[in-house]
Amino acid sequence: MAREAFPLLDAAPPPLDRDAARALLRERFGLEPVGPHGLRELASQQDRNLLVTTASGAFVLRLDHPATPRIELEAQDAALTHLAARLAEGPDPLAVPRPVADRDGRTLLDLGADPRGAAGDGTGAGSGAGTARLLTFVEGVPLGERGPLDPGTLRRVGTIVARVLGALADFAHPGAERVCQWDLARTSDLHAALARSVPAALAVRVDAAVAAATPVVARLAPSLPRQAIHGDLHPDNLLITRGADGIARPTGLIDLGDLVIGWRIAELAVAVAGAAIRLPDDVPMVLRELVRGATEHEQALVLTDDELDVLVPLVRWRVAMETMAAAHQVTLDPENTYAREQLPRLERALDVLARLPDALLTTVVRIAAGRPPVPSAALGAPAPVPATLADWLPTTSGAMGVVVDLSVTSARLPGEDWRRPERIAAAIGEAVDAADAPAVALGRWREGRIVVTPEPGPVEPATVTLGVDAFVAPGTPVVSALAAEVRRVGAREVVLAVEGGYDVVVRGLAPSVAAGSDVVVGAALGTVLEPGARDRLPARLTLQLVAVPGLDPPAHAPGSLAEGWAVLCPDPSVLVGVDVAAPPDDAPGLARRRDRVLARAQERYYDEPPRIERGLGAWLIDTRGRAYLDVVNNVAAVGHSHPRVTAAVSRQLGVLNTNSRFLYEPMVAFAERLVALLPEPLDTVFLVNSGSEAVETALRLARIATGRRDVVCLAGAYHGWTTATDEITTPVLGREKAVEPWVHPLAAPYLHRGPYGPAAGGTESDRAARLTADAVAAIDALAAGGAPPAAFVSEAFLGNAGGIALPHGYLAAVYAATRSHGGLCVADEVQVGYGRTGTTFWAFEHEGVVPDIVTVAKMVANGLPVGAAITTRAIAERFAEHDAFFSSSGGSPVGCAAGIAVLDVLADEGLQANAARVGARLAAGLAGLAERHDVIGALHGRGLSQGVELVVDRATMTPAPALARLVCERLRERGVICQPTGEDGDVLKLKPPLVITEEEADRVLVALDDVLTELTG
């Protein structure tokens, strides 16, 4: 097609005269721009767009290029009106600009030939300056400029694509039947027209992208459904606003300048390309989430197989098209910063797409759309010639293949052994030794491999194996088990092209063959090499079956791409004569099984939870082999899988575990250790199974000691799940519950919002004094009314509220008031004790008080069911006069052995000091984030018990629970496990194992900063 077929190809934006624009607005629409920025130019390539701010609202004055036919502008206006009506419907409306008529009822105004752009007579005669249109202004900022391009938002964009296509399915206008340079069907023509305009360095990439996609598009084009499409539905044309819940979401759609009758799938391809240009390192994720959003929605697209198979080639074409257009536009208009700033991102996207095979990306697309993963025409099912291990490694003749488990759940690599090459080698050797005959250890295919797991980070690591490993000594000869041509030779690999339409990658050897040569069965290929310097695994030969000839697959895949890669690199068991397939990692299936047999009330984290099967220190590791920083697990005080706790439990379990009525050393020794850590007169221990039982026991002790039933507690506090502890736990996450007559909650000690917040007036000290005085008065009133409390139960820091500290002096005053009426004071240290707050071992010590009863659990045994209520001998004796006490496993030998080991580790590794040091760094970092993100309404806590309260509006401190949930979902995607807490579910709880390092805390801060920036703009 001739270059002249694209009339706007060489078009620079029309001239702009602000005085003429003001005159046009005044004379034709009765509008007057106000303020110094009443007319502000918006980004564009070939047209001019002016944001017009007036006393009656905001508008966009669009100056269309003179080369644009009027009928096309009429089609755009009709489509805007059509979409505005359709997309305003439903619970999730999307705003679209509407044409505004001038005083004569016209929406298209021809501009005369006057070079200043003065308004013409509207006849179109002499309209060399183009056409002006006034559109309603849609609030928001471009998603591509400041928006959250996270998986959830991308799914939402996919849904918008489906909705727009659904709305335009019945739209028809002769102006949409046009030749448009942005119509993907015209890519080859545009490439021919602009090939010489693109700089040489970019031209190579553009040419390659167009050439790679052209054969597939040419083959499938005749079958692709066509309709009216927006044509430019990329992130810059979707506007985001922050909703009432504090989350920034796409709420507006603009720019119908590329409206055309085109391929339906092109709409989705444009959206994918636009996001991929901004997230080049996450192209598979972009594809997966946009396709999911487009095909899982209630107005879902039902895409044909051909549309699914052509999507990736069209994405390549679109990125190439945008690169050509931007480069050309810069040559026409060197001052066009919009086009110039695009070029580096476009170049990067072209490079990344060039490295990603179509076969993989198309498989990702099909899986996301819920279709069979193998494209009907692109992939054959290879039928490899069967072979045995000895056919590749002749020196292993007569040896059996023994599968060794190197997965996340491997029992051969406990604790930290999976990080130590010598222990991994020993585990592999143990598997061989366990065989009844000479054997070779084989590593499994499709295994989420713990031995390659890196430290937690924002990028998903490649941890799932795509081949089979044979662990043999360096120098072992390797021969070909198949007749083949040597397709490629690398430093440590040989790729065999086997007749029948498949490849075999042979890795881990020093090659002795040349590329292009033919090999016969038994021909030498090389010898096994020593492992690489950073390789934790010993020497091995890896065999990888490749279903797409010429594909260059990795040895390991990220978990999210494992299903797709497993299609392209299928089960290689046939190559070694042994079943080496690892069981599939089916986390969704496990979640469904859980839902079938567990009560719905027994909640789990995350909408689509990873399957967590291992922990180490402050890390949690899923079955795909990805590690996460765990900032929610205050149960694992000394870190997951601590070797001293593991050894103590294993040793004791191998000797004795029985009920607590027997006499044995661990129970006594553990109780002695607890008592030694507490101030006098706390000297008597009741050992139980959990924090709930510990607080329940404390309530029984107080009631028997005082002969009363009434209990004073704090609103917003959590004390357990048993009947009595639940009754003194105020509603959590908005759930309503009745307050028993004997429960008397004092006002929540919140000085940042509520009745004692800034809105109540006075300084923080004044408000704290009123809060304390009101609490004392409430206790006095109970006593005066004939219901003096048996106990006052409280944490010194409200753990489930997010680490909210009581005002200084509050506990001392309330303790004194309680005791003045004969009541006891219970310190619930289940969540906040054991050195977690850093400067003291017990949280109550911050306030200089001594309780009558202290309850502990959670961290006491690093997650084993051990809890305790510690009180005075007098209170314990009073209980003994009325009742006996017995807890079958409370105080068991194993539990107590774990408790002793935890105390030893806390002391020997200085974990209380670590909590203070890392906690201070974390607090300082959070304070910096609060300065940059106004959704952070308040920061709470101390040491390694901190909370980040998210709000919709700082002025009103309106909670933002939806934002908190979404932040936690996005943090997980960046390798951080966090969860919301608080009465409203709006506080991010940061309560990691006490072994977390400063570097790990810094990673949490970076991840949180990134997530808040993405989600709130």
Side-chain angles (χ1 to χ4, degrees):
M1 178 175 290
R3 186 183 184 92
E4 292 74 20
F6 300 118
L8 293 177
L9 200 58
D10 296 320
L16 171 65
D17 186 312
R18 292 178 182 271
D19 290 338
R22 287 178 182 272
L24 174 68
L25 290 164
R26 185 184 310 113
E27 295 168 9
R28 307 306 305 171
F29 298 95
L31 296 173
E32 189 68 46
V34 297
H37 303 294
L39 280 181
R40 179 166 63 87
E41 187 163 10
L42 304 174
S44 186
Q45 283 199 0
Q46 295 160 335
D47 306 297
R48 296 279 188 190
N49 290 289
L50 293 172
L51 174 60
V52 182
T53 304
T54 74
S56 58
F59 303 87
V60 172
L61 179 62
R62 182 178 176 93
L63 306 179
D64 295 293
H65 197 276
T68 307
R70 184 183 183 91
I71 192 171
E72 294 181 8
L73 301 179
E74 291 172 348
Q76 291 176 30
D77 278 3
L80 285 172
T81 303
H82 181 87
L83 281 175
R86 296 291 184 87
L87 298 180
E89 301 170 352
D92 202 15
L94 199 67
V96 177
R98 293 175 181 263
V100 178
D102 73 349
R103 65 188 183 189
D104 296 327
R106 296 177 299 180
T107 58
L108 294 176
L109 306 181
D110 290 328
L111 301 178
D114 186 328
R116 296 189 312 130
D121 62 6
T123 64
S127 57
T131 305
R133 289 183 286 162
L134 191 67
L135 305 173
T136 57
F137 176 70
V138 176
E139 292 286 346
V141 296
L143 174 63
E145 177 183 316
R146 292 180 56 192
L149 289 174
D150 59 282
T153 301
L154 290 170
R155 282 197 297 275
R156 186 180 179 90
V157 173
T159 298
I160 290 172
V161 170
R163 292 180 62 196
V164 169
L165 286 172
L168 289 174
D170 61 349
F171 177 80
H173 192 287
E177 296 279 3
R178 65 187 184 119
V179 175
C180 173
Q181 74 180 66
W182 291 108
D183 182 357
L184 275 174
R186 308 288 182 180
T187 302
S188 296
D189 297 330
L190 187 70
H191 182 235
L194 292 183
R196 296 182 180 179
S197 302
V198 182
L202 270 179
V204 173
R205 296 172 170 85
V206 169
D207 293 349
V210 172
T214 297
V216 179
V217 178
R219 175 170 57 84
L220 299 177
S223 66
L224 299 179
R226 293 171 57 82
Q227 68 163 82
I229 62 173
H230 179 284
D232 201 17
L233 218 166
H234 64 72
D236 283 345
N237 286 332
L238 284 170
L239 304 182
I240 58 170
T241 57
R242 189 186 296 182
D245 56 7
I247 301 172
R249 296 187 180 91
T251 53
L253 172 66
I254 60 173
D255 195 358
L256 264 288
D258 296 331
L259 175 75
V260 70
I261 303 298
W263 294 322
R264 179 178 65 173
I265 192 62
E267 196 85 283
L268 186 56
V270 169
V272 171
I277 290 166
R278 288 153 182 82
L279 297 173
D281 294 322
D282 295 312
V283 169
M285 182 273 288
V286 168
L287 269 168
R288 181 180 67 245
E289 301 305 330
L290 280 166
V291 171
R292 284 181 62 186
T295 58
E296 292 179 354
H297 187 253
E298 60 270 14
Q299 300 176 12
L301 288 175
V302 180
L303 298 171
T304 67
D305 280 338
D306 286 351
E307 285 180 300
L308 293 172
D309 292 350
V310 83
L311 177 59
V312 172
L314 289 184
V315 170
R316 295 185 189 279
W317 265 13
R318 174 67 183 199
V319 176
M321 180 184 281
E322 289 200 35
T323 305
M324 290 185 287
H328 183 62
Q329 202 64 33
V330 168
T331 64
L332 295 175
D333 180 13
E335 301 303 316
N336 192 324
T337 56
Y338 176 79
R340 189 172 59 252
E341 291 173 358
Q342 282 282 82
L343 286 175
R345 292 195 298 186
L346 289 162
E347 183 175 355
R348 168 76 173 147
L350 285 171
D351 287 343
V352 172
L353 282 168
R355 294 197 298 269
L356 292 168
D358 271 21
L360 170 66
L361 296 180
T362 298
T363 301
V364 169
V365 166
R366 297 182 67 86
I367 291 171
R371 302 290 182 81
V374 180
S376 55
L379 240 171
V385 176
T388 67
L389 185 61
D391 292 332
W392 299 96
L393 300 166
T395 60
T396 67
S397 180
M400 62 185 296
V402 176
V403 173
V404 60
D405 182 358
L406 300 174
S407 72
V408 173
T409 58
S410 174
R412 292 191 181 276
L413 295 167
E416 201 173 0
D417 281 2
W418 58 270
R419 302 180 75 187
R420 300 170 178 162
E422 70 279 6
R423 285 301 309 141
I424 297 169
I428 292 170
E430 291 163 7
V432 172
D433 293 341
D436 295 332
V440 173
L442 300 177
R444 298 185 298 183
W445 168 76
R446 203 181 55 193
E447 177 178 73
R449 191 163 277 185
I450 186 68
V451 292
V452 298
T453 294
E455 294 188 349
V459 178
E460 184 185 15
T463 49
V464 179
T465 57
L466 298 175
V468 54
D469 297 318
F471 294 96
V472 292
T476 300
V478 182
V479 301
S480 179
L482 307 166
E485 178 186 351
V486 179
R487 184 185 297 279
R488 187 174 68 252
V489 175
R492 300 177 66 92
E493 71 177 26
V494 172
V495 181
L496 302 177
V498 184
E499 186 177 351
Y502 65 95
D503 288 353
V504 174
V505 182
V506 186
R507 301 181 189 271
L509 78 168
S512 60
V513 292
S517 62
D518 292 327
V519 295
V520 297
V521 174
L525 297 179
T527 56
V528 175
L529 287 167
E530 292 278 1
R534 297 184 179 181
D535 198 342
R536 295 184 192 141
L537 287 165
R540 63 201 180 276
L541 182 74
T542 301
L543 299 172
Q544 190 172 18
L545 185 60
V546 184
V548 179
L551 185 65
D552 184 14
H556 297 84
S560 63
L561 292 178
E563 186 179 1
W565 272 117
V567 172
L568 305 177
C569 300
D571 185 354
S573 296
V574 68
L575 297 179
V576 292
V578 178
D579 183 1
V580 294
D585 173 43
D586 186 14
L590 184 62
R592 289 190 295 270
R593 286 170 53 199
R594 173 186 167 124
D595 291 343
R596 282 196 296 269
V597 295
L598 293 178
R600 186 165 60 92
Q602 192 157 354
E603 297 174 340
R604 57 173 167 78
Y605 295 148
Y606 300 116
D607 295 335
E608 297 179 1
R611 182 182 164 192
I612 301 295
E613 295 282 3
R614 190 181 281 257
L616 179 68
W619 303 2
L620 291 172
I621 304 169
D622 69 20
T623 45
R624 291 171 165 178
R626 182 173 190 180
Y628 306 84
L629 276 171
D630 175 10
V631 297
V632 75
N633 237 310
N634 60 337
V635 173
V638 298
H640 300 284
S641 304
H642 197 288
R644 291 176 68 178
V645 178
T646 301
V649 169
S650 299
R651 182 172 57 250
Q652 186 60 52
L653 195 58
V655 176
L656 173 70
N657 196 36
T658 186
N659 76 67
S660 58
R661 283 177 170 168
F662 288 95
L663 179 65
Y664 43 82
E665 169 70 16
M667 184 179 190
V668 178
F670 179 50
E672 288 173 339
R673 294 284 296 273
L674 284 177
V675 167
L677 290 165
L678 286 158
E680 294 183 352
L682 298 167
D683 59 4
T684 307
V685 180
F686 289 80
L687 289 171
V688 293
N689 300 293
S690 68
S692 296
E693 292 181 21
V695 177
E696 179 104 13
T697 301
L699 292 176
R700 290 183 64 196
L701 290 170
R703 285 169 172 159
I704 289 174
T706 63
R708 305 169 184 168
R709 179 172 178 78
D710 290 75
V711 175
V712 174
C713 56
L714 292 179
Y718 172 81
H719 296 291
W721 59 266
T722 62
T723 298
T725 56
D726 180 67
E727 287 171 346
I728 64 170
T729 294
T730 50
V732 178
L733 300 183
R735 297 171 184 164
E736 296 184 3
K737 60 183 290 188
V739 177
E740 297 295 328
W742 56 270
V743 177
H744 307 283
L746 301 177
Y750 302 161
L751 299 180
H752 61 291
R753 62 180 173 92
Y756 297 95
T763 65
E764 185 171 302
S765 295
D766 293 337
R767 302 196 306 275
R770 289 201 301 271
L771 173 71
T772 303
D774 290 349
V776 170
I779 293 171
D780 290 342
L782 283 174
F792 166 66
V793 182
S794 174
E795 301 169 286
F797 290 79
L798 273 62
N800 259 47
I804 294 178
L806 301 176
H808 185 65
Y810 182 93
L811 270 188
V814 176
Y815 273 27
T818 302
R819 286 169 172 158
S820 71
H821 298 295
L824 301 182
C825 300
V826 179
D828 184 347
E829 295 278 330
V830 171
Q831 296 195 67
V832 296
Y834 256 58
R836 177 160 291 281
T837 57
T839 53
T840 63
F841 194 82
W842 304 105
F844 65 76
E845 293 178 288
H846 288 288
E847 295 304 309
V849 297
V850 178
D852 300 297
I853 308 171
V854 174
T855 61
V856 294
K858 288 189 184 295
M859 298 191 294
V860 164
N862 221 46
L864 270 71
V866 178
I870 307 103
T871 187
T872 67
R873 178 62 58 177
I875 293 172
E877 286 300 318
R878 185 68 184 273
F879 180 89
E881 293 169 3
H882 289 76
D883 207 346
F885 180 84
F886 174 65
S887 176
S888 293
S889 57
S892 70
V894 168
C896 291
I900 293 169
V902 166
L903 291 174
D904 287 342
V905 173
L906 286 172
D908 295 347
E909 296 185 8
L911 295 187
Q912 181 180 322
N914 189 65
R917 181 174 58 256
V918 178
R921 188 181 186 100
L922 190 60
L926 292 173
L929 295 187
E931 292 178 0
R932 295 197 295 278
H933 301 286
D934 59 8
V935 294
I936 298 180
L939 299 173
H940 308 298
R942 182 181 298 179
L944 292 179
S945 180
Q946 298 193 41
V948 181
E949 186 153 355
L950 301 183
V951 296
V952 176
D953 180 6
R954 274 186 182 171
T956 62
M957 290 298 290
T958 304
L963 176 61
R965 290 192 299 273
L966 191 53
V967 165
C968 291
E969 290 283 350
R970 300 292 82 85
L971 283 174
R972 176 182 59 80
E973 291 157 5
R974 284 167 175 76
V976 176
I977 298 291
C978 185
Q979 282 296 298
T981 188
E983 187 174 345
D984 297 296
D986 64 328
V987 183
L988 308 179
K989 55 182 172 183
L990 305 178
K991 299 187 290 186
L994 301 185
V995 296
I996 191 171
T997 66
E998 290 181 296
E999 293 75 18
E1000 289 169 341
D1002 288 345
R1003 293 182 200 173
V1004 174
L1005 293 168
V1006 170
L1008 181 56
D1009 191 13
D1010 289 345
V1011 167
L1012 290 177
T1013 299
E1014 286 187 359
L1015 292 179
T1016 62

